[in-house]
Each structure stands twice: as structure tokens, then as C-alpha cells.
Amino acid sequence: MKIGIMMAALAASAIMACNSNNAQQENADTTGDSVQPATPAPAEAAAPGAVTGVVQDVMMGKDGYTAVIKSAQDSVYNVTISHANLKDHAQYRSAKPGDTLTVSGDRWEMDGKAQITVRELK
């Protein structure tokens, strides 16, 4: 009996935590408090859409990697590519320095560096 009550309480708290996180995310999305948008560097950062660049460096992570890419306009982006963030997991592929990537996704800034969480990899 006690185990059943404990399990029900644990399940209820897990559901409430998920709902709380969703509500916080929705509030952050509408108010813009959670992540500061990246300051547009060159013209391509201000325009919505994809960024194309040559891979300068690759740092492997747990479920993907972060590549430093340099665009034709000499803008540098740290692009995080992982199975979990891609809209279509079949787009995932490895990259090495010298490869050209075209990416689009969520742009943000960390420590003064432009970041893109990749949603589409071309």
C-alpha cells in the first residue's frame, strides 16, 4: 500500500514538474527573458535563413558535435549539430575541417560568440 502511494506521488510530481517547465518555457518564449538573441554581426546574421561556411574546427560532444564555421563574409559561428536537435534525424552527418556546411536553426550568443543550434543541416 505504501509503495503504491509513493509511486503515485512520484508520478504526480514528475507530471507537475514537466508542466511547470513547459509553462516556464512558454513564458520565456513570449517575454524573451531566457536567452538573449545574438547581436547581428554581418548582414547575413540579420537576415533569416541558412548560413553557409567552411568548417574550421570540430569538437565532439555527447550526442553530436560543435563545429566552428567561417562564412564567405568572414563571420564565425559555433554550430551545434546533434541528433536530438535536428528536425530530420536523417540529415545528421559528421564534418571535418575544410568541409562546407549549410545550416539553419536557433541563433544565440554566448561569451560574445555567435552560436547556432542546428535544426536543419544541408
Side-chain angles (χ1 to χ4, degrees), residues 1-119:
M1 181 71 177
K2 289 183 182 180
I3 292 175
I5 293 172
M6 293 293 285
M7 294 298 285
L10 182 61
S13 66
I15 290 170
M16 291 175 59
C18 288
N19 288 341
S20 174
N21 286 342
N22 287 342
Q24 289 174 354
Q25 181 64 34
E26 288 172 7
N27 288 340
D29 289 345
T30 59
T31 62
D33 290 339
S34 64
V35 176
Q36 297 296 324
T39 304
E44 77 206 13
V51 173
T52 300
V54 177
V55 176
Q56 306 295 306
D57 191 20
V58 175
M59 295 150 291
M60 296 306 294
K62 183 172 69 173
D63 64 347
Y65 60 95
T66 298
V68 178
I69 64 171
K70 186 174 183 180
S71 72
Q73 292 79 16
D74 288 331
S75 298
V76 176
Y77 299 91
N78 292 329
V79 297
T80 301
I81 302 168
S82 71
H83 292 283
N85 292 329
L86 289 171
K87 290 180 182 177
D88 179 6
H89 303 292
Q91 293 179 340
Y92 184 89
R93 68 178 186 276
S94 297
K96 61 185 183 307
D99 289 350
T100 300
L101 296 178
T102 300
V103 300
S104 60
D106 304 329
R107 296 178 188 214
W108 50 288
E109 187 174 314
M110 183 171 72
D111 297 330
K113 296 179 183 175
Q115 312 283 325
I116 300 176
T117 302
V118 177
R119 303 293 179 197

